[in-house]
Amino acid sequence: MRATALAWRWRRNSLRRRTDVLESWVGLVAVVLMLLAGPVSGWVTGSLAHEALRHTVREQHRHRHLVTATTLRALRGGPAETDREATAAAREGHHRVVARWPGPDGKERSGVVPVRHATRPGQPFPLWTDDQGRLSGRPMDHDTAAVHAGLAGAGAAAVACGLLEAVRRLVVWRVMQRRYARWDRAWLRAGQTWGRADAGS
């Protein structure tokens, strides 16, 4: 149905108006720009995001270290446990233990650590720390960075196409407003001579 309407606007006929041609041109230009701007903006954004994320991956792998921690004792959740860390750990399905681990200066650190699986006292488990020996998250890997960059590129392409579609709709709306205004003026002129014998109506 849309293809038929578009073809009708391009054909020469007495019913075609200038606004019909303009509307067709606006639609054609919007489609061409979407086909060009969408992939280009997605590729540029994805490339920039990938480069930034690769830098983040390198920095995280440089400043985060995998050490072996030892469980001292497990913490039981109870009515008195109301701190935010306990709530977050319970929500993520983690257990909380008191553990010790070696710091970069050779001194031992200790503290409360969320672990995915329950551990017994004296049981070792892997733990990520930063350059100061504080708890840290697992560093991002290259595959995760590539996925995030791809999502950023796809999002940028979608936003670019969405903006172009919004501009197209705005232009078509303005064209329609001008068309309706012309119709109103034409009906106003016709109404002034309606039914008069010498008006040719």
Side-chain angles (χ1 to χ4, degrees):
M1 204 56 194
R2 280 182 172 273
T4 304
L6 185 62
W8 178 84
R9 288 191 178 100
W10 285 107
R11 286 202 310 264
R12 288 187 175 277
N13 60 74
S14 57
L15 296 177
R16 189 186 67 177
R17 297 156 297 196
R18 292 176 59 187
T19 52
D20 293 326
V21 178
L22 180 59
E23 191 175 341
S24 299
W25 275 110
V26 168
L28 180 62
V29 170
V31 169
V32 171
L33 288 178
M34 285 180 191
L35 293 176
L36 293 176
V40 169
S41 61
W43 182 81
V44 170
T45 303
S47 299
L48 293 175
H50 192 221
E51 186 58 36
L53 287 171
R54 283 178 60 189
H55 176 72
T56 301
V57 168
R58 288 193 297 269
E59 287 298 309
Q60 288 185 355
H61 278 273
R62 185 179 297 123
H63 297 291
R64 297 186 184 183
H65 315 283
L66 186 63
V67 299
T68 300
T70 304
T71 303
L72 298 179
R73 61 187 174 86
L75 291 180
R76 303 282 183 186
E81 197 174 60
T82 58
D83 58 301
R84 262 187 257 173
E85 287 184 9
T87 305
R91 191 184 304 117
E92 295 172 9
H94 289 162
H95 302 274
R96 298 169 71 240
V97 299
V98 177
R100 67 168 180 266
W101 61 90
D105 54 1
K107 295 181 180 179
E108 284 195 339
R109 307 282 198 278
S110 63
V112 178
V113 179
V115 292
R116 197 168 291 277
H117 304 289
T119 57
R120 299 184 306 275
Q123 183 177 350
F125 62 92
L127 183 69
W128 287 97
T129 63
D130 61 12
D131 290 333
Q132 283 74 43
R134 296 173 301 200
L135 294 179
S136 180
R138 182 190 183 98
M140 184 185 299
D141 56 32
H142 291 284
D143 291 339
T144 303
V147 170
H148 287 352
L151 291 174
V159 168
C161 291
L163 288 175
L164 288 170
E165 174 63 13
V167 172
R168 184 196 72 81
R169 287 175 178 267
L170 179 61
V171 172
V172 170
W173 178 79
R174 291 291 299 164
V175 169
M176 294 295 292
Q177 293 299 311
R178 291 179 60 186
R179 180 186 299 172
Y180 294 150
R182 281 183 187 167
W183 284 354
D184 289 341
R185 288 194 297 270
W187 276 109
L188 187 60
R189 288 195 301 268
Q192 294 172 355
T193 60
W194 190 264
R196 287 170 49 185
D198 59 343
S201 55

